[in-house]
Amino acid sequence: MGSIFSRIVKGELPAARIYEDDDTLAFLDINPASRGHTLVICKEEYPDLLSVPPNLVVAVTRTTQRVARAITSAFQPDGFNIVQNNGAAAGQVVFHFHVHIIPRWEGDRVLAYWRPGKVEKSELQEIADQIKAHID
Ligand code: DGP
């Protein structure tokens, strides 16, 4: 059966479609944080950023830029956020790789941000080294 988004790709479920090419599709989010909140997906189903092949990350990024330009031209927001959730703990609900484009207007308060923390400078290098050891 596939994900909800695969069903949208196949035309089995309706969506307010904006743009598509061979690899990607952009359509409006059904629960928008703001006017023009758009999802960009790769048509092939991969659950998240870790599993999607790099060429499809590039394709989705290209479409994201193209659609963000169109949203900016259509609605003149003051800015926009690109959000990409991975894992339930990070707020992912649909496990089919996608990027949110969320148009923003001054003072709209539609997104919550992380709380800036504090860390020792020496610890930063330790953490960086731990990650570096796992780079392929
Ligand atoms: P995330 O939390 O990153 O997995 O975001 C999933 C988004 O998908 C959420 O903002 C709502 C949206 N969504 C869920 N089901 C549908 C649907 O059937 N159609 C559309 N257009 N959007 C959906």
Side-chain angles (χ1 to χ4, degrees), residues 94-114:
V94 178
F95 289 82
H96 180 144
F97 176 66
H98 60 277
V99 169
H100 297 254
I101 306 172
I102 304 178
R104 300 297 305 276
W105 282 268
E106 288 298 340
D108 64 17
R109 295 169 162 246
V110 299
L111 278 195
Y113 294 95
W114 61 86

Side-chain angles (χ1 to χ4, degrees), residues 4-5 8 13-16 27-32 37 39 83-86 90-96 98 100:
I4 286 178
F5 292 170
I8 288 174
L13 288 176
F27 53 93
L28 291 182
D29 193 295
I30 207 169
N31 298 131
H37 180 166
L39 300 174
V83 176
Q84 202 278 304
N85 299 325
N86 297 277
Q92 186 176 11
V93 174
V94 178
F95 289 82
H96 180 144
H98 60 277
H100 297 254

Side-chain angles (χ1 to χ4, degrees), residues 32-102:
S34 65
R35 184 175 176 79
H37 180 166
T38 298
L39 300 174
V40 181
I41 69 169
C42 60
K43 289 182 172 176
E44 218 174 307
E45 186 173 334
Y46 295 93
D48 54 25
L49 181 65
L50 298 182
S51 54
V52 69
N55 63 306
L56 293 181
V57 177
V58 171
V60 167
T61 303
R62 195 179 286 132
T63 297
T64 299
Q65 186 190 47
R66 192 167 201 168
V67 174
R69 284 177 171 155
I71 291 169
T72 299
S73 174
F75 298 136
Q76 287 93 46
D78 298 317
F80 56 87
N81 292 99
I82 300 301
V83 176
Q84 202 278 304
N85 299 325
N86 297 277
Q92 186 176 11
V93 174
V94 178
F95 289 82
H96 180 144
F97 176 66
H98 60 277
V99 169
H100 297 254
I101 306 172
I102 304 178

Side-chain angles (χ1 to χ4, degrees), residues 18-35:
I18 293 170
Y19 172 83
E20 72 180 299
D21 57 25
D22 287 349
D23 293 324
T24 69
L25 172 67
F27 53 93
L28 291 182
D29 193 295
I30 207 169
N31 298 131
S34 65
R35 184 175 176 79

